[in-house]
């Protein structure tokens, strides 16, 4: 008899333990994590495609005709501002410069002699020097001075032409094209060299005009072709384009230097601030096979303070950093289930791990 009672006692304890474990498992399965929905500024991410451009690009040419006598650079060479790049044969213009220099020296000597004669006349008294002779010497001085100015202009012109026989770098940059060789005859306007300033490269994007009014406070990130890393960029200018294109040119520069060359493709994502509204974490969304989207809400019963799960269909909008805007179906203050929403049923009692 005692043995039977002992067996029943052991059986009852096991049954109680089994029921307790089952209850704990059910409670664990119904445990969820929630988040209270709040209105916040919605951020729309606008994908952009663009290219690397070089605003400072010069097609270098000569202002004088002549034969190339010296070429000091090759394609790919980096040059500094003022560095000689190409020279034309200057033998004929050098002779012109020498003649202009000699004519200038002669004109200076004639002006000095005319000045001496006028000074001599001024030193003599009016009684010992005829007034007509004085006026004649003064006229000769004026003519000599005019001749001197003309010779100075001739000499300056010869020096300018001599300087134009040499092409110098207008800024620091890289020679990307070379269209001439030593011995070739070139004419004014012929493109001889192309110089690109690689230190002032810009990123150009075509952006829809609909984003123009929402641009204030926006942020831009860029990624070069073949790279997975995004970099912040600052806006330099918003340039109108042809009205028929309904776009404007967004010119930007990366905040930190990037290894890029003109013509490289670049991706951009423009973060635009929109109207405030509810948004939920991406994990809260339940996507159905028919294409609909819903969330599970946790609502507290007013009778016994328990929490129950209810499914709510929603219309979603743009997403940003795992937050998805909800256009319809939710309001600020709703408590949405973000963890443990995989196998819920309508009206199911749940326990909140964040309560």
């Amino acid at each position: 008899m005692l043995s039977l009672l002992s067996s029943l006692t052991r059986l009852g304890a096991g049954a109680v333990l089994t029921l307790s474990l089952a209850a704990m498992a059910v409670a664990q399965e119904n445990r969820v994590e929630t988040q209270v929905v709040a209105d916040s500024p919605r951020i729309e991410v606008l994908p952009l495609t663009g290219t690397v451009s070089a605003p400072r690009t010069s097609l270098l040419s000569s202002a004088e005709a002549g034969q190339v006598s010296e070429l000091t650079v090759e394609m790919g060479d980096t040059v500094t501002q003022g560095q000689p790049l190409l020279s034309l044969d200057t033998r004929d213009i050098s002779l012109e410069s020498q003649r202009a220099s000699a004519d200038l020296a002669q004109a200076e000597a004639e002006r000095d002699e005319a000045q001496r004669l006028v000074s001599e006349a001024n030193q003599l008294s009016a009684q010992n020097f005829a007034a007509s002779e004085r006026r004649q010497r003064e006229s000769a001085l004026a003519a000599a001075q005019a001749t001197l100015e003309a010779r100075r202009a001739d000499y300056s012109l010869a020096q300018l032409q001599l300087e134009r026989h040499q092409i110098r770098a207008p800024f620091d940059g890289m020679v990307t094209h070379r269209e001439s060789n030593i011995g070739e005859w070139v004419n004014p306007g012929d493109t001889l060299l192309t110089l690109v300033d690689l230190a002032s490269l810009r990123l150009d994007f075509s952006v829809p005009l609909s984003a123009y009014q929402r641009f204030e406070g926006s942020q831009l990130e860029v990624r070069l072709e073949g790279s997975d890393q995004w970099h912040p960029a600052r806006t330099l200018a918003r340039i109108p384009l042809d009205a028929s294109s309904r776009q404007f040119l967004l010119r930007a520069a990366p905040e930190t230097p990037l290894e890029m060359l003109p013509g490289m493709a670049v991706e951009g994502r423009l973060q635009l601030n929109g109207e405030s509204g509810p948004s939920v974490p991406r994990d809260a969304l339940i996507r159905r096979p028919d294409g609909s989207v819903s969330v599970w809400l946790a609502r507290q019963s007013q009778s016994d303070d328990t929490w129950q799960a209810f499914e709510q269909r929603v219309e979603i909008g743009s997403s940003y950093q795992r937050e998805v805007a909800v256009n319809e179906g939710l309001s600020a203050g709703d408590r949405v289930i973000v963890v443990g929403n995989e196998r819920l049923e309508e009206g199911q009692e749940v326990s909140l791990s964040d309560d």
Side-chain angles (χ1 to χ4, degrees):
M1 185 69 179
L2 292 174
S3 176
L4 179 59
L5 289 174
S6 177
S7 299
L8 290 174
T9 301
R10 288 196 300 271
L11 180 61
V16 171
L17 178 61
T18 301
L19 291 174
S20 298
L21 291 175
M24 291 175 62
V26 171
Q28 187 68 24
E29 289 179 0
N30 294 347
R31 196 167 184 82
V32 297
E33 182 178 332
T34 66
Q35 179 175 309
V36 177
V37 176
D39 287 339
S40 59
R42 293 173 175 175
I43 297 178
E44 178 185 354
V45 178
L46 185 64
L48 304 174
T49 57
T51 185
V52 179
S53 64
R56 295 187 70 185
T57 300
S58 289
L59 306 179
L60 303 179
S61 60
S62 173
E64 301 288 339
Q67 189 178 46
V68 178
S69 61
E70 187 177 8
L71 191 56
T72 61
V73 292
E74 297 287 345
M75 287 179 56
D77 286 353
T78 301
V79 299
T80 58
Q81 184 177 4
Q83 178 179 335
L85 308 179
L86 180 147
S87 297
L88 303 181
D89 186 4
T90 60
R91 287 175 294 179
D92 54 347
I93 191 61
S94 294
L95 294 175
E96 289 290 338
S97 179
Q98 292 175 14
R99 182 169 62 184
S101 179
D103 291 343
L104 177 59
Q106 180 181 354
E108 288 177 343
E110 293 176 352
R111 189 279 314 270
D112 292 344
E113 176 61 19
Q115 181 66 59
R116 187 190 67 79
L117 293 176
V118 170
S119 297
E120 180 183 67
N122 291 335
Q123 291 174 1
L124 298 175
S125 62
Q127 293 81 5
N128 298 331
F129 204 89
S132 59
E133 180 65 21
R134 186 191 305 274
R135 289 193 298 270
Q136 184 177 0
R137 291 188 180 189
E138 291 174 349
S139 297
L141 174 59
Q145 185 65 42
T147 300
L148 175 59
E149 296 299 327
R151 295 297 176 263
R152 283 176 176 169
D154 292 342
Y155 177 75
S156 297
L157 179 59
Q159 291 302 111
L160 177 61
Q161 291 175 333
L162 190 61
E163 177 65 25
R164 285 178 174 176
H165 278 63
Q166 187 176 70
I167 296 178
R168 298 179 180 271
F171 50 79
D172 297 350
M174 176 183 287
V175 178
T176 59
H177 289 89
R178 198 190 78 177
E179 307 292 341
S180 57
N181 288 295
I182 293 178
E184 289 184 350
W185 182 269
V186 298
N187 293 305
D190 292 346
T191 299
L192 308 180
L193 300 166
T194 301
L195 184 64
V196 177
D197 182 3
L198 298 182
S200 63
L201 296 180
R202 297 293 181 256
L203 308 175
D204 289 344
F205 299 95
S206 294
V207 183
L209 283 175
S210 58
Y212 193 87
Q213 296 296 333
R214 302 165 56 195
F215 203 84
E216 190 67 28
S218 64
Q219 296 182 359
L220 176 65
E221 291 182 315
V222 298
R223 181 172 65 183
L224 294 178
E225 185 180 24
S227 174
D228 295 330
Q229 186 175 1
W230 291 93
H231 304 272
R234 65 183 185 277
T235 299
L236 300 178
R238 289 179 289 167
I239 306 170
L241 297 176
D242 185 358
S244 61
S245 68
R246 297 188 179 276
Q247 293 181 325
F248 66 91
L249 175 65
L250 173 61
R251 174 158 289 177
E255 293 286 358
T256 56
L258 301 178
E259 293 185 2
M260 52 188 184
L261 292 173
M264 291 180 64
V266 60
E267 296 179 69
R269 54 187 186 189
L270 184 63
Q271 301 169 13
L272 299 171
N273 294 325
E275 298 180 353
S276 295
S279 61
V280 297
R282 193 185 302 272
D283 293 338
L285 300 178
I286 304 296
R287 299 181 184 272
R288 303 300 183 186
D290 61 357
S292 63
V293 181
S294 62
V295 298
W296 285 97
L297 299 179
R299 293 174 180 165
Q300 192 172 28
S301 174
Q302 296 182 358
S303 60
D304 55 6
D305 292 336
T306 60
W307 290 91
Q308 294 177 301
F310 297 93
E311 189 173 10
Q312 175 66 44
R313 185 168 179 173
V314 295
E315 295 291 335
I316 61 175
S318 60
S319 62
Y320 176 69
Q321 293 184 347
R322 303 190 62 80
E323 289 287 325
V324 181
V326 178
N327 297 331
E328 294 183 11
L330 288 183
S331 302
D334 289 341
R335 186 179 290 270
V336 63
I337 299 175
V338 296
V339 177
N341 56 356
E342 297 86 0
R343 292 181 297 274
L344 295 175
E345 296 181 0
E346 188 75 12
Q348 179 178 344
E349 185 175 326
V350 294
S351 61
L352 275 56
S353 61
D354 53 328
D355 187 18

